[in-house]
Amino acid sequence: RSSLFDWRVNTWTRTPDMNDPRWYNTTVALPNGRAWTVSGDGGSGTAERWDAASGWSRLTGINWNTVLAEPGYINRWHPFLLVAPDGRLIHFGPTDTMHWVSPDGSGSLLNTGTVVPGGHYPKEGSWVMYDEGRILVAGGGTSTNAAYTVDVRTGTPVITPVAAMTFKRQFANGVVLPNGEVMIIGGNTSGLKFNDTGSILTPEIWNPTTGQWRSMASADVPRNYH
């Protein structure tokens, strides 16, 4: 099932069903007013595009099973996807390999030739597009403090490791601040879901100009799992 939420009147309206059932899929708003979704239990190997006039269409040119086949990837997990400046979608994790995705026509999937740096596995980490075509990825699996940027303003993504956070964390949140800096808040070091064991109470802010982190006043209440 799928529905539209109208914030003006605070109501939901059913739209035509997707072709495949999905749980833990990722959905992206496209610049032309359409929406695109992929993965999730039930339809993990397929992608679909939504249009207000025609509903959902399965994109036969995208074989997402090539992504699911990557080592160590839990294939129902939310893939990392954002719209790049040229209108394509960039798939930048949590698999090691990154891909360009075209949401137009029947769709297409193309390996970018770039990979996640080192042994970083960003699943359960946080990521934000902090500037046009520039993404910060921080933390993740095995409770790491590693971070890197992905620059997708050209045809080939540029991956650049940045200074590590002071604290290792999984299940944290990343938020872009009005001045362009990024706050990473919450998370734990235990890697336990829905659990406050090993909670990190001290937020950190990353400065994209200096590439450095600074710690902020600690919270009183743990904030874990998104």
Side-chain angles (χ1 to χ4, degrees), residues 107-125:
S108 66
L109 180 71
L110 177 67
N111 193 316
T112 65
T114 49
V115 297
V116 170
H120 193 158
Y121 187 45
K123 176 179 173 287
E124 296 165 356

PDB file of all heavy atoms in Angstrom, residues 107-125:
ATOM      1  N   GLY A 107      14.633   2.879 -16.478  1.00  0.00           N
ATOM      2  CA  GLY A 107      15.654   2.940 -15.442  1.00  0.00           C
ATOM      3  C   GLY A 107      16.948   2.261 -15.844  1.00  0.00           C
ATOM      4  O   GLY A 107      16.990   1.472 -16.794  1.00  0.00           O
ATOM      5  N   SER A 108      18.013   2.577 -15.135  1.00  0.00           N
ATOM      6  CA  SER A 108      19.302   1.914 -15.360  1.00  0.00           C
ATOM      7  C   SER A 108      20.129   1.985 -14.086  1.00  0.00           C
ATOM      8  O   SER A 108      19.915   2.843 -13.226  1.00  0.00           O
ATOM      9  CB  SER A 108      20.063   2.566 -16.519  1.00  0.00           C
ATOM     10  OG  SER A 108      20.434   3.894 -16.202  1.00  0.00           O
ATOM     11  N   LEU A 109      21.099   1.068 -13.988  1.00  0.00           N
ATOM     12  CA  LEU A 109      21.980   0.954 -12.828  1.00  0.00           C
ATOM     13  C   LEU A 109      23.404   0.814 -13.343  1.00  0.00           C
ATOM     14  O   LEU A 109      23.691  -0.061 -14.156  1.00  0.00           O
ATOM     15  CB  LEU A 109      21.590  -0.264 -11.982  1.00  0.00           C
ATOM     16  CG  LEU A 109      22.410  -0.550 -10.722  1.00  0.00           C
ATOM     17  CD1 LEU A 109      22.125   0.503  -9.652  1.00  0.00           C
ATOM     18  CD2 LEU A 109      22.085  -1.944 -10.187  1.00  0.00           C
ATOM     19  N   LEU A 110      24.319   1.703 -12.889  1.00  0.00           N
ATOM     20  CA  LEU A 110      25.683   1.716 -13.394  1.00  0.00           C
ATOM     21  C   LEU A 110      26.661   1.824 -12.238  1.00  0.00           C
ATOM     22  O   LEU A 110      26.555   2.722 -11.394  1.00  0.00           O
ATOM     23  CB  LEU A 110      25.879   2.896 -14.354  1.00  0.00           C
ATOM     24  CG  LEU A 110      27.280   3.100 -14.926  1.00  0.00           C
ATOM     25  CD1 LEU A 110      27.646   1.950 -15.856  1.00  0.00           C
ATOM     26  CD2 LEU A 110      27.365   4.435 -15.655  1.00  0.00           C
ATOM     27  N   ASN A 111      27.629   0.916 -12.185  1.00  0.00           N
ATOM     28  CA  ASN A 111      28.669   0.961 -11.171  1.00  0.00           C
ATOM     29  C   ASN A 111      29.498   2.230 -11.359  1.00  0.00           C
ATOM     30  O   ASN A 111      29.951   2.528 -12.466  1.00  0.00           O
ATOM     31  CB  ASN A 111      29.564  -0.281 -11.290  1.00  0.00           C
ATOM     32  CG  ASN A 111      30.471  -0.459 -10.091  1.00  0.00           C
ATOM     33  OD1 ASN A 111      31.075   0.479  -9.594  1.00  0.00           O
ATOM     34  ND2 ASN A 111      30.586  -1.702  -9.635  1.00  0.00           N
ATOM     35  N   THR A 112      29.724   3.000 -10.288  1.00  0.00           N
ATOM     36  CA  THR A 112      30.476   4.242 -10.400  1.00  0.00           C
ATOM     37  C   THR A 112      31.981   4.022 -10.452  1.00  0.00           C
ATOM     38  O   THR A 112      32.736   4.935 -10.789  1.00  0.00           O
ATOM     39  CB  THR A 112      30.193   5.170  -9.204  1.00  0.00           C
ATOM     40  OG1 THR A 112      30.697   4.549  -8.006  1.00  0.00           O
ATOM     41  CG2 THR A 112      28.709   5.449  -9.055  1.00  0.00           C
ATOM     42  N   GLY A 113      32.423   2.822 -10.070  1.00  0.00           N
ATOM     43  CA  GLY A 113      33.855   2.560 -10.013  1.00  0.00           C
ATOM     44  C   GLY A 113      34.511   3.047  -8.742  1.00  0.00           C
ATOM     45  O   GLY A 113      35.737   2.999  -8.609  1.00  0.00           O
ATOM     46  N   THR A 114      33.724   3.524  -7.780  1.00  0.00           N
ATOM     47  CA  THR A 114      34.255   3.990  -6.500  1.00  0.00           C
ATOM     48  C   THR A 114      33.677   3.139  -5.377  1.00  0.00           C
ATOM     49  O   THR A 114      32.596   2.562  -5.499  1.00  0.00           O
ATOM     50  CB  THR A 114      33.902   5.463  -6.256  1.00  0.00           C
ATOM     51  OG1 THR A 114      32.501   5.661  -6.498  1.00  0.00           O
ATOM     52  CG2 THR A 114      34.693   6.374  -7.171  1.00  0.00           C
ATOM     53  N   VAL A 115      34.405   3.080  -4.261  1.00  0.00           N
ATOM     54  CA  VAL A 115      33.978   2.234  -3.146  1.00  0.00           C
ATOM     55  C   VAL A 115      34.128   2.975  -1.827  1.00  0.00           C
ATOM     56  O   VAL A 115      34.843   3.977  -1.726  1.00  0.00           O
ATOM     57  CB  VAL A 115      34.803   0.926  -3.085  1.00  0.00           C
ATOM     58  CG1 VAL A 115      34.577   0.090  -4.330  1.00  0.00           C
ATOM     59  CG2 VAL A 115      36.292   1.231  -2.914  1.00  0.00           C
ATOM     60  N   VAL A 116      33.453   2.466  -0.809  1.00  0.00           N
ATOM     61  CA  VAL A 116      33.586   2.983   0.557  1.00  0.00           C
ATOM     62  C   VAL A 116      35.043   2.815   0.990  1.00  0.00           C
ATOM     63  O   VAL A 116      35.638   1.761   0.760  1.00  0.00           O
ATOM     64  CB  VAL A 116      32.638   2.224   1.504  1.00  0.00           C
ATOM     65  CG1 VAL A 116      32.929   2.565   2.959  1.00  0.00           C
ATOM     66  CG2 VAL A 116      31.186   2.526   1.168  1.00  0.00           C
ATOM     67  N   PRO A 117      35.645   3.841   1.601  1.00  0.00           N
ATOM     68  CA  PRO A 117      37.076   3.748   1.927  1.00  0.00           C
ATOM     69  C   PRO A 117      37.386   2.799   3.081  1.00  0.00           C
ATOM     70  O   PRO A 117      36.617   2.678   4.037  1.00  0.00           O
ATOM     71  CB  PRO A 117      37.433   5.193   2.305  1.00  0.00           C
ATOM     72  CG  PRO A 117      36.150   5.782   2.786  1.00  0.00           C
ATOM     73  CD  PRO A 117      35.082   5.140   1.947  1.00  0.00           C
ATOM     74  N   GLY A 118      38.538   2.134   2.955  1.00  0.00           N
ATOM     75  CA  GLY A 118      39.030   1.277   4.035  1.00  0.00           C
ATOM     76  C   GLY A 118      38.074   0.164   4.402  1.00  0.00           C
ATOM     77  O   GLY A 118      37.382  -0.397   3.555  1.00  0.00           O
ATOM     78  N   GLY A 119      38.014  -0.139   5.690  1.00  0.00           N
ATOM     79  CA  GLY A 119      37.129  -1.196   6.166  1.00  0.00           C
ATOM     80  C   GLY A 119      35.835  -0.659   6.743  1.00  0.00           C
ATOM     81  O   GLY A 119      35.128  -1.362   7.464  1.00  0.00           O
ATOM     82  N   HIS A 120      35.503   0.585   6.436  1.00  0.00           N
ATOM     83  CA  HIS A 120      34.301   1.216   6.987  1.00  0.00           C
ATOM     84  C   HIS A 120      33.050   0.549   6.425  1.00  0.00           C
ATOM     85  O   HIS A 120      32.890   0.439   5.209  1.00  0.00           O
ATOM     86  CB  HIS A 120      34.311   2.703   6.622  1.00  0.00           C
ATOM     87  CG  HIS A 120      33.291   3.518   7.382  1.00  0.00           C
ATOM     88  ND1 HIS A 120      33.409   4.874   7.544  1.00  0.00           N
ATOM     89  CD2 HIS A 120      32.150   3.182   8.029  1.00  0.00           C
ATOM     90  CE1 HIS A 120      32.393   5.337   8.244  1.00  0.00           C
ATOM     91  NE2 HIS A 120      31.606   4.316   8.546  1.00  0.00           N
ATOM     92  N   TYR A 121      32.159   0.110   7.306  1.00  0.00           N
ATOM     93  CA  TYR A 121      30.860  -0.413   6.888  1.00  0.00           C
ATOM     94  C   TYR A 121      29.806   0.511   7.488  1.00  0.00           C
ATOM     95  O   TYR A 121      29.519   0.448   8.687  1.00  0.00           O
ATOM     96  CB  TYR A 121      30.669  -1.845   7.371  1.00  0.00           C
ATOM     97  CG  TYR A 121      29.424  -2.502   6.842  1.00  0.00           C
ATOM     98  CD1 TYR A 121      29.070  -2.391   5.496  1.00  0.00           C
ATOM     99  CD2 TYR A 121      28.597  -3.240   7.670  1.00  0.00           C
ATOM    100  CE1 TYR A 121      27.926  -2.996   5.002  1.00  0.00           C
ATOM    101  CE2 TYR A 121      27.456  -3.861   7.188  1.00  0.00           C
ATOM    102  CZ  TYR A 121      27.127  -3.732   5.860  1.00  0.00           C
ATOM    103  OH  TYR A 121      25.991  -4.333   5.368  1.00  0.00           O
ATOM    104  N   PRO A 122      29.241   1.425   6.688  1.00  0.00           N
ATOM    105  CA  PRO A 122      28.421   2.508   7.240  1.00  0.00           C
ATOM    106  C   PRO A 122      26.992   2.133   7.626  1.00  0.00           C
ATOM    107  O   PRO A 122      26.239   3.004   8.051  1.00  0.00           O
ATOM    108  CB  PRO A 122      28.422   3.536   6.111  1.00  0.00           C
ATOM    109  CG  PRO A 122      28.585   2.723   4.868  1.00  0.00           C
ATOM    110  CD  PRO A 122      29.473   1.578   5.246  1.00  0.00           C
ATOM    111  N   LYS A 123      26.596   0.870   7.444  1.00  0.00           N
ATOM    112  CA  LYS A 123      25.261   0.482   7.877  1.00  0.00           C
ATOM    113  C   LYS A 123      25.092   0.820   9.358  1.00  0.00           C
ATOM    114  O   LYS A 123      25.984   0.595  10.161  1.00  0.00           O
ATOM    115  CB  LYS A 123      25.051  -1.014   7.649  1.00  0.00           C
ATOM    116  CG  LYS A 123      23.721  -1.554   8.147  1.00  0.00           C
ATOM    117  CD  LYS A 123      23.610  -3.044   7.835  1.00  0.00           C
ATOM    118  CE  LYS A 123      22.368  -3.630   8.477  1.00  0.00           C
ATOM    119  NZ  LYS A 123      22.508  -3.770   9.940  1.00  0.00           N
ATOM    120  N   GLU A 124      23.936   1.380   9.695  1.00  0.00           N
ATOM    121  CA  GLU A 124      23.616   1.825  11.046  1.00  0.00           C
ATOM    122  C   GLU A 124      24.406   3.070  11.445  1.00  0.00           C
ATOM    123  O   GLU A 124      24.415   3.465  12.594  1.00  0.00           O
ATOM    124  CB  GLU A 124      23.804   0.697  12.076  1.00  0.00           C
ATOM    125  CG  GLU A 124      22.844  -0.463  11.822  1.00  0.00           C
ATOM    126  CD  GLU A 124      23.234  -1.735  12.558  1.00  0.00           C
ATOM    127  OE1 GLU A 124      24.287  -1.758  13.222  1.00  0.00           O
ATOM    128  OE2 GLU A 124      22.486  -2.716  12.454  1.00  0.00           O
ATOM    129  N   GLY A 125      25.054   3.703  10.453  1.00  0.00           N
ATOM    130  CA  GLY A 125      25.669   5.001  10.679  1.00  0.00           C
ATOM    131  C   GLY A 125      24.696   6.099  10.280  1.00  0.00           C
ATOM    132  O   GLY A 125      23.508   5.866  10.078  1.00  0.00           O
TER     133      GLY A 125
END
